[in-house]
Amino acid sequence: MDRSGGPGGGSGDRGQQQQQQQEEGKGPPPPDVPGPEGGPKMGAAPCRRPPLHCNGMRYKLLQEGDIQVCAIRHPRTFLSKILTSKFLRRWEPHHLTLADTGVASATPTGYMENSISYSAIEDVQLLSWENAPKYCLQLTIPGGTVLLQAANSYLRDQWFHSLQWKKKIYKYKKVLSNPSRWEVVLKEIRTLVDMALTSPLQDDSIHQAPLEIVSKLLSENNNLTTQDHESIIVAIAPLLENNHPPPDLCEFFCKHCRERPRSMVVIEVFTPVVQRILKHNMDFGKCPRLRLFTQEYILALNELNAGMEVVKKFIHSMHGPTGQCPHPRVLPNLVAVCLAAIYSCYEEFINSRDNSPSLKEIRNGCQQQCDRKPNLPLRLLHTSPDLVSQEATLTESRLKPVIVTSNEIHVEVERNNTANQKMTANVGNDSEPNLIDCLMVSPTCSTMSIELSAQADRILGCYVEILKMLSDYDDWRPALASLLQPIPFPKEALAHEKFTKELKYVIQRFAEDPRQEVHSCLLSVRAGKDGWFQLYSPGGVACDDDGELFASMVHILMGSCYKTKKFLLSLAENKLGPCMLLALRGNQTMVEILCLMLEYNIIDNNDTQLQIISTLESTDVGKRMYEQLCDRQRELKELQRKGGPTRLTLPSKSTDADLARLLSSGSFGNLENLSLAFTNVTSACAEHLIKLPSLKQLNLWSTQFGDAGLRLLSEHLTMLQVLNLCETPVTDAGLLALSSMKSLCSLNMNSTKLSADTYEDLKAKLPNLKEVDVRYTEAW
């Protein structure tokens, strides 16, 4: 019986046999454990070795499998030698499991009645017979040998490498669990890393197992020197190139970043690790210590001499040199790190909130002292008994201010009669008060100042600056705006003047972006939930200017909202005062807003209308635009008075300018049927169509009329009965707006981008719809 030496054997004959068999293409791969001479030198970084296995074969790490087993005891007599010869051996089928401590069978009988510990296995070798080749392994144990026979050579090699790996990992766990001298420990770690890098096994646990061993070693030994820290980090660095560090190892890295932020290890070793985390991590919620490590790494970069310049270069390296970042997970992960870091700056204030009266109780003045938790030194808000009684009765026109001062936070809240009325409306409502209302009751009466520690202030400055950097990338801005909607920051941060002042740059970038998916995120996600538009508008807690940012936001939003009544109504209800003030100062956007409110009859109160007119006439631009409005109104009334034709068809190839010129040249107050089929009109002509009060039938077949025009028509031409949109570029976004046109009885959507879901929604919301054409659409 010829035996070829395994990795555990150290004899020269066995090595020569292995080399000869490898050259002939028969033998097993040579050993993959580096010898004493082949190991890395002390103090040197580990080097990557090519896998030392035949023909580059890769194997998956076995955890369990079926195999034939034969156990042979060491022969002591001539009879026992005969009984243990290969002709009299008995093989047993077993389902073996390679556990962490040893090899066990699912049916512990016969040869495998007792499990075999890895510590008891002296050697693992590959065997073969000349006459009848069998794919066998030999496990040398005290007092005998265990033979394992696989079905083919690949399975045999897979069992061989898996057994070797399990045996070595068990050995390193034992050796590194009781370290004596750190020089020896460091050498063993380097050997372990080198073994993982050169193993032919291809499995996630191959690189994770050494990292977990080192992680456990570091967590149980806190008395290491700084030099030991860096030596261990450098030793395991090759494994971190393609693997996330375990949680305990992340804590070790965080500690190093905090204690030695200027160490070269941070730049040379941690940078590729953090880059991999940001590119490939899918959910920081499952591994929060990865997020914490990334956070500490960025703070360590900020501690270098160049400071934020280094951080800026790192962010640019994550984005890449092109205009489009190739890694979709980078931005969400960076934002998650920023949000967690900013939250940590206000954590003390947030914790104190749990022991303070709730925001609803503060506003309603109904909290009982006996229901509160024990007081903490830091309190966010508090009400006095006389304030409670005054809020309950609402007999006083103005309440005295309540001032609460502590070492960390100063809060001054002053409520006027208007605020009291708002409180009365909310009494009995179990919902949480509006975010902005909790922080601000009147634009000028409420102040809140938060004093952060020096460390928290540095963290806040660093991560707000990163949010600014992210907003400067055009391809990241849409996703960033979406991630910051709804507002993800705690209200303590929104009440902090420094934070909102620094974050204003990001909101300005959103307001300047012409893309609707960006600036639409300035609005709230739903009614009753305030957004950045409310926060930075006059009267909001973050507004620190005279309304310039508010005017910019209104200007860009008016373009995307297509001057809808809904948006104008929200401005009239909540921001009419700031709009009039800015119009009084000559802001052209606000002058246009006030003119549209008058033109669309948004304001019902006569006194308010007169005040708006006075405001418009106080400036040159307002006076000019109001005169134009009056002219349009007179023309409209004259048009309605004169009547005109009931049917009109524009010639093909007509444009928006042609339609505008035609409608302005005559009287069309009685026009009921308008055909623009096969013309070149676009959504821009909707501005003129909505001034036809008697229009009932509109034909837009084969025009460039799109979603924007449909949204405008749906708000003004509610009496339209017949609409032809055949072969127009409208989509679900515009077609859904038709649900408000309850008079529609005939609708042609042939060859449009109509979806089945939108079609079903329209049928449910348009009760008078009788004739529908959806041919050549998804709903057909």
Side-chain angles (χ1 to χ4, degrees):
M1 180 171 58
D2 298 330
R3 296 182 180 180
S4 60
S11 66
D13 295 340
R14 188 177 302 154
Q16 293 175 359
Q17 290 176 357
Q18 282 183 334
Q19 184 177 2
Q20 182 180 358
Q21 288 177 346
Q22 187 179 8
E23 292 174 354
E24 296 173 357
K26 300 179 182 179
D32 58 353
V33 178
E37 298 84 359
K41 297 181 180 180
M42 293 294 291
C47 59
R48 182 182 296 274
R49 293 186 180 182
L52 305 176
H53 49 90
C54 183
N55 296 329
M57 293 291 291
R58 306 293 283 175
Y59 308 92
K60 183 174 177 59
L61 178 65
L62 279 175
Q63 302 293 342
E64 58 182 339
D66 296 320
I67 199 167
Q68 299 286 327
V69 180
C70 178
I72 303 173
R73 298 300 172 187
H74 287 166
R76 299 183 180 277
T77 63
F78 180 76
L79 179 62
S80 63
K81 289 183 179 181
I82 295 176
L83 294 177
T84 56
S85 66
K86 63 180 180 180
F87 301 106
L88 298 178
R89 288 177 188 154
R90 179 172 58 88
W91 294 89
E92 295 178 353
H94 281 274
H95 186 84
L96 300 186
T97 301
L98 303 184
D100 291 338
T101 58
V103 182
S105 173
T107 55
T109 57
Y111 294 142
M112 295 301 298
E113 182 176 2
N114 299 316
S115 62
I116 304 175
S117 172
Y118 294 130
S119 59
I121 299 177
E122 298 174 357
D123 194 9
V124 180
Q125 299 178 10
L126 292 169
L127 300 181
S128 64
W129 285 266
E130 293 180 356
N131 298 329
K134 295 183 181 293
Y135 309 108
C136 288
L137 297 175
Q138 174 183 323
L139 308 184
T140 303
I141 59 176
T145 300
V146 176
L147 301 179
L148 304 179
Q149 180 176 315
N152 52 55
S153 60
Y154 181 86
L155 285 177
R156 177 201 63 187
D157 293 345
Q158 189 177 17
W159 276 95
F160 170 73
H161 292 297
S162 298
L163 279 166
Q164 282 280 42
W165 174 261
K166 290 283 187 177
K167 180 176 181 296
K168 293 169 186 174
I169 286 296
Y170 178 78
K171 165 201 164 186
Y172 281 111
K173 284 182 180 179
K174 298 286 287 183
V175 169
L176 297 178
S177 61
N178 297 307
S180 55
R181 293 189 310 165
W182 280 104
E183 308 85 41
V184 177
V185 169
L186 186 59
K187 185 175 181 179
E188 293 291 342
I189 290 175
R190 287 170 175 160
T191 306
L192 174 62
V193 170
D194 201 45
M195 180 189 75
L197 293 175
T198 57
S199 173
L201 295 173
Q202 194 170 24
D203 193 88
D204 292 340
S205 62
I206 298 302
H207 289 173
Q208 282 295 330
L211 291 176
E212 290 172 359
I213 293 174
V214 175
S215 178
K216 183 179 179 181
L217 171 69
L218 295 174
S219 63
E220 294 175 352
N221 297 271
N222 299 321
N223 56 346
L224 297 179
T225 64
T226 302
Q227 186 60 37
D228 293 334
H229 281 188
E230 296 194 353
S231 299
I232 293 175
I233 292 172
V234 171
I236 62 176
L239 294 181
L240 297 173
E241 292 179 6
N242 298 308
N243 299 273
H244 290 338
D248 291 338
L249 202 57
C250 284
E251 285 194 0
F252 174 72
F253 291 167
C254 289
K255 180 181 178 183
H256 190 80
C257 287
R258 286 191 295 266
E259 294 179 354
R260 298 204 63 193
R262 297 174 179 268
S263 169
M264 291 306 297
V265 168
V266 173
I267 299 294
E268 296 179 357
V269 178
F270 289 168
T271 297
V273 179
V274 174
Q275 287 177 335
R276 186 181 189 280
I277 292 173
L278 292 175
K279 290 177 182 178
H280 300 288
N281 178 67
M282 297 302 295
D283 185 7
F284 276 131
K286 296 179 180 178
C287 40
R289 295 186 186 178
L290 287 179
R291 186 194 63 215
L292 185 61
F293 167 50
T294 306
Q295 179 181 329
E296 294 292 344
Y297 165 79
I298 293 177
L299 290 175
L301 294 184
N302 193 35
E303 292 295 325
L304 299 177
N305 292 334
M308 287 308 299
E309 284 299 320
V310 181
V311 177
K312 186 175 182 179
K313 290 179 180 178
F314 173 74
I315 298 297
H316 182 71
S317 70
M318 296 307 305
H319 178 274
T322 62
Q324 191 75 24
C325 179
H327 305 287
R329 290 301 309 167
V330 169
L331 179 66
N333 287 333
L334 278 173
V335 173
V337 171
C338 291
L339 295 181
I342 293 172
Y343 185 92
S344 67
C345 297
Y346 301 94
E347 194 166 8
E348 185 175 2
F349 303 106
I350 296 169
N351 292 338
S352 69
R353 185 201 309 167
D354 298 334
N355 293 275
S356 301
S358 70
L359 296 170
K360 178 174 178 294
E361 292 167 333
I362 291 166
R363 295 186 59 189
N364 294 339
C366 59
Q367 188 190 36
Q368 300 296 325
Q369 288 284 346
C370 59
D371 296 334
R372 297 179 186 172
K373 299 177 184 179
N375 293 339
L376 290 180
L378 178 63
R379 298 297 299 274
L380 182 61
L381 295 170
H382 185 67
T383 57
S384 62
D386 58 340
L387 178 59
V388 173
S389 62
Q390 288 175 355
E391 289 177 344
T393 60
L394 299 174
T395 58
E396 297 291 332
S397 61
R398 179 175 288 276
L399 303 182
K400 64 181 181 179
V402 180
I403 303 176
V404 180
T405 306
S406 74
N407 294 331
E408 298 290 340
I409 182 171
H410 310 283
V411 180
E412 179 180 344
V413 180
E414 181 176 307
R415 299 172 175 84
N416 54 22
N417 193 40
T418 304
N420 289 331
Q421 293 174 4
K422 186 180 287 189
M423 293 177 189
T424 307
N426 286 292
V427 172
N429 185 4
D430 293 333
S431 62
E432 187 69 14
N434 188 281
L435 171 64
I436 306 302
D437 290 339
C438 296
L439 298 175
M440 175 274 299
V441 178
S442 99
T444 58
C445 296
S446 300
T447 60
M448 179 180 291
S449 62
I450 297 181
E451 297 296 333
L452 299 178
S453 64
Q455 177 64 14
D457 196 63
R458 285 195 298 271
I459 295 175
L460 180 67
C462 175
Y463 283 98
V464 173
E465 197 66 30
I466 290 177
L467 289 177
K468 292 182 183 180
M469 297 175 191
L470 300 180
S471 68
D472 286 333
Y473 290 94
D474 289 339
D475 60 315
W476 274 353
R477 203 174 299 129
L480 178 62
S482 177
L483 291 169
L484 297 184
Q485 185 200 38
I487 298 176
F489 303 104
K491 51 181 167 285
E492 287 78 6
L494 301 179
H496 189 195
E497 182 180 0
K498 178 180 178 180
F499 173 74
T500 54
K501 189 174 182 179
E502 293 294 327
L503 195 66
K504 183 179 178 180
Y505 177 85
V506 179
I507 307 305
Q508 284 176 328
R509 298 293 287 165
F510 293 164
E512 295 167 358
D513 197 300
R515 291 170 291 184
Q516 183 179 354
E517 64 267 28
V518 177
H519 56 249
S520 62
C521 292
L522 296 170
L523 298 172
S524 57
V525 291
R526 62 179 181 272
K529 185 75 173 179
D530 287 318
W532 297 111
F533 179 75
Q534 289 80 10
L535 193 70
Y536 280 91
S537 61
V541 292
C543 183
D544 61 349
D545 54 22
D546 293 330
E548 289 84 359
L549 178 57
F550 172 68
S552 299
M553 291 191 290
V554 171
H555 177 75
I556 197 72
L557 289 171
M558 283 299 293
S560 64
C561 293
Y562 307 105
K563 303 179 183 178
T564 59
K565 284 185 177 179
K566 183 178 179 181
F567 184 64
L568 291 173
L569 280 169
S570 66
L571 288 178
E573 292 175 0
N574 304 309
K575 301 298 176 185
L576 182 58
C579 289
M580 293 176 64
L581 177 61
L582 292 171
L584 191 63
R585 295 174 179 174
N587 187 281
Q588 187 168 348
T589 299
M590 294 306 162
V591 170
E592 183 183 356
I593 291 290
L594 295 183
C595 289
L596 288 171
M597 288 181 181
L598 294 176
E599 185 174 3
Y600 296 157
N601 296 319
I602 300 296
I603 307 297
D604 296 328
N605 187 281
N606 290 333
D607 292 336
T608 306
Q609 289 180 355
L610 292 174
Q611 187 176 356
I612 291 176
I613 293 172
S614 300
T615 302
L616 292 173
E617 291 180 338
S618 63
T619 62
D620 294 338
V621 61
K623 187 181 297 184
R624 184 178 67 255
M625 296 186 71
Y626 179 63
E627 289 175 355
Q628 294 173 356
L629 169 62
C630 293
D631 293 339
R632 290 196 302 271
Q633 295 289 351
R634 280 192 295 269
E635 291 173 1
L636 180 60
K637 290 179 181 179
E638 185 68 17
L639 178 68
Q640 293 172 346
R641 186 181 65 83
K642 290 183 178 180
T646 58
R647 301 176 64 88
L648 178 64
T649 300
L650 250 67
S652 61
K653 308 300 181 182
S654 297
T655 64
D656 295 329
D658 297 328
L659 176 63
R661 192 177 303 111
L662 177 63
L663 294 180
S664 63
S665 63
S667 300
F668 297 95
N670 292 337
L671 187 62
E672 296 181 357
N673 188 322
L674 176 61
S675 176
L676 302 175
F678 304 104
T679 63
N680 294 331
V681 298
T682 65
S683 296
C685 74
E687 291 282 352
H688 308 287
L689 297 179
I690 63 177
K691 297 175 184 178
L692 301 174
S694 302
L695 192 62
K696 295 181 180 179
Q697 300 180 27
L698 179 59
N699 188 350
L700 295 169
W701 188 2
S702 190
T703 64
Q704 296 302 310
F705 199 86
D707 295 336
L710 277 187
R711 281 193 284 261
L712 192 55
L713 294 183
S714 65
E715 291 203 349
H716 296 272
L717 299 182
T718 56
M719 301 306 294
L720 199 66
Q721 298 176 2
V722 179
L723 180 59
N724 189 343
L725 298 172
C726 179
E727 297 181 7
T728 58
V730 294
T731 65
D732 288 346
L735 292 171
L736 282 172
L738 299 179
S739 59
S740 62
M741 306 176 75
K742 304 299 182 183
S743 299
L744 272 180
C745 57
S746 176
L747 180 59
N748 189 337
M749 297 177 285
N750 187 324
S751 304
T752 63
K753 296 180 181 178
L754 171 72
S755 68
D757 292 339
T758 301
Y759 177 51
E760 295 298 326
D761 187 68
L762 288 175
K763 287 197 301 183
K765 294 180 179 179
L766 297 175
N768 297 321
L769 194 60
K770 298 177 182 178
E771 297 180 5
V772 185
D773 188 349
V774 294
R775 289 175 296 170
Y776 307 107
T777 67
E778 184 184 318
W780 189 27

